[in-house]
Amino acid sequence: MTAQPKTVQVPLKTVALPNEHGGWGFTLEPILLGWLVAPSWAGLGLGVFALAAFFTRHPLKLWLADVRKGKRFPRTPVAGRFALAYGSVGGLGLLLAFVRAEGPFYWPLLAALPLIAVQLWFDAHNKSRNLLPELAGAIAMGSVATGIGLAGGLEPSVALGLWLTLAARAYAAIHYARTQVMRARGLAVSFRTAYLAEVVAVGALLLGALAGWVPWLGVLAVGLLLPFSAYTFARPPVPARVVGWSQMAFGLLVVTLTALGMRA
């Protein structure tokens, strides 16, 4: 008798669900901020689009990595199907946004495309943990808040201020989190880079507040990372999951205070 080829079962969870927990916060924050400031059906569509894009990234990364190697693993077609399914859902969300939007919302999404291309290039080369793709992906997601704001009728300068706030938050938070993770791994690390990133982020928001783009409460929220960093850097390192949860809480604080400041 001829032996039948063994069927390899691919755990769907490893292909279908994002494995980067920090990405949840950077994805949900712009959606939540946009909805709080300018709720609309078009904003709902853009939120669906952003979530679908977030879910698409992981299977697309696996598929691109396999294609680049010129190999076909059992996971390859599964990853391709999940990426296609998520992408289709995202397309429907984008269609809803186009149908119900009160104004042109797509220019911030187009502006974010080069950042997304950088992230995908690093994904395809299995280098997604580098600093540059992490920053590029997080900052690109902030464009969704601006898109939701524009779709809901927000003034362009104010809508752009949402992106600036989230970009500053991401720039400061990623440097902080990487410093804490390196400490947890027992690596020698200088706090100077994290502090400098936080000062740059707060400085950018100060300029935005003076121009009337960013609410002062948003500046305060991001600025709170400085004393928080000084406190945590003076204490023993904590596990990466604790850093992740604390940063999600910090992101929620930034979103809440920024939304309150916009409505004040």
Side-chain angles (χ1 to χ4, degrees):
M1 294 180 63
T2 304
Q4 295 296 322
K6 191 181 222 179
T7 302
V8 178
Q9 295 292 331
V10 179
L12 295 183
K13 182 179 179 181
T14 63
V15 177
L17 296 180
N19 60 353
E20 296 181 6
H21 303 294
W24 286 97
F26 291 127
T27 301
L28 295 175
E29 287 164 24
I31 298 173
L32 180 58
L33 180 57
W35 284 349
L36 288 174
V37 173
S40 67
W41 282 106
L44 176 62
L46 279 178
V48 170
F49 169 74
L51 278 175
F54 173 60
F55 276 91
T56 301
R57 183 194 167 200
H58 179 60
L60 182 61
K61 177 172 66 174
L62 297 177
W63 185 81
L64 286 173
D66 294 347
V67 169
R68 189 181 67 83
K69 295 174 183 175
K71 296 182 179 180
R72 184 180 176 86
F73 301 104
R75 74 178 187 185
T76 307
V78 179
R81 286 193 290 270
F82 270 109
L84 182 60
Y86 291 148
S88 299
V89 173
L92 292 175
L94 195 59
L95 179 61
L96 174 61
F98 271 107
V99 171
R100 299 300 299 268
E102 297 182 21
F105 65 88
Y106 42 81
W107 60 263
L109 305 181
L110 294 176
L113 285 179
L115 296 173
I116 296 173
V118 169
Q119 186 182 43
L120 289 177
W121 187 90
F122 278 90
D123 282 349
H125 291 78
N126 292 321
K127 296 179 179 179
S128 57
R129 299 288 185 179
N130 288 10
L131 176 61
L132 180 58
E134 285 191 0
L135 288 173
I139 293 174
M141 286 304 299
S143 67
V144 174
T146 299
I148 293 175
L150 292 172
L154 212 61
E155 292 183 9
S157 60
V158 178
L160 192 60
L162 301 180
W163 192 358
L164 177 60
T165 302
L166 293 174
R169 172 271 194 277
Y171 184 74
I174 286 175
H175 279 89
Y176 167 83
R178 288 174 69 89
T179 300
Q180 286 290 65
V181 169
M182 286 189 288
R183 290 184 68 213
R185 293 174 179 173
L187 302 175
V189 59
S190 171
F191 300 142
R192 185 179 304 170
T193 301
Y195 282 132
L196 179 60
E198 293 165 12
V199 169
V200 169
V202 173
L205 290 183
L206 282 173
L207 293 176
L210 291 173
W213 294 8
V214 176
W216 288 101
L217 277 177
V219 182
L220 172 65
V222 175
L224 289 175
L225 187 57
L226 275 164
F228 180 75
S229 298
Y231 172 76
T232 54
F233 287 162
R235 297 177 63 82
V238 296
R241 67 178 180 277
V242 176
V243 176
W245 282 111
S246 67
Q247 286 307 294
M248 287 190 71
F250 172 65
L252 181 60
L253 176 66
V254 171
V255 167
T256 302
L257 291 183
T258 301
L260 288 174
M262 295 286 290
R263 291 187 171 274

